[in-house]
Amino acid sequence: MQETSVSAYAIVKTGGKQYKVAVGDVVEVEKLEGEPGTEHTFPAVLFVDGGEVTTDADALAKVSVTGKVVEQTKGPKIRIHKFKNKTGYHKRQGHRQKLTRVEVTGISK
């Protein structure tokens, strides 16, 4: 049987959400401050290296996930329409979430 090699990946938390990332991945996260090229470090919630899974808080404090800002962008337009029957109440509103595209450059243990 051939053994498949599983590369290292981590679960990171930013903007109140969690993302599964590996080196070379490009993810869209909620807006981070910084121009394109700026480096950011993210806290790891879980780290998997091959068959070894790290969930201990003390061990995860040593794990650092770094990423480089690729661009600042916006998400899709969301249209909100509120309506109340028989009162003539209509409210239309739109929203575009500000996002940052980040390329993961390294996961170090």
Side-chain angles (χ1 to χ4, degrees), residues 10 12 15 20 23 26 32 41 53 57 72 83 100 105-106 109:
V12 297
K20 177 183 174 184
V23 176
V26 177
L32 298 172
T41 304
V53 179
Q72 301 288 355
F83 169 79
T100 302
T105 55
K109 196 170 183 183

Side-chain angles (χ1 to χ4, degrees), residues 63-82:
V63 175
S64 67
V65 178
T66 57
K68 181 176 69 171
V69 174
V70 176
E71 69 173 328
Q72 301 288 355
T73 183
K74 288 185 180 181
K77 177 111 177 182
I78 297 172
R79 291 181 176 86
I80 301 133
H81 183 229
K82 296 180 181 181

Side-chain angles (χ1 to χ4, degrees), residues 2 7 12 17 21 23 28 31 35 37 42 50 52 66-67 86 100-101 107:
Q2 189 178 17
S7 63
V12 297
K17 297 178 182 75
V21 296
V23 176
E28 281 187 344
K31 184 164 171 47
E35 297 296 318
F42 301 100
E52 180 185 337
T66 57
K86 299 179 185 176
T100 302
R101 193 167 285 137
I107 300 175

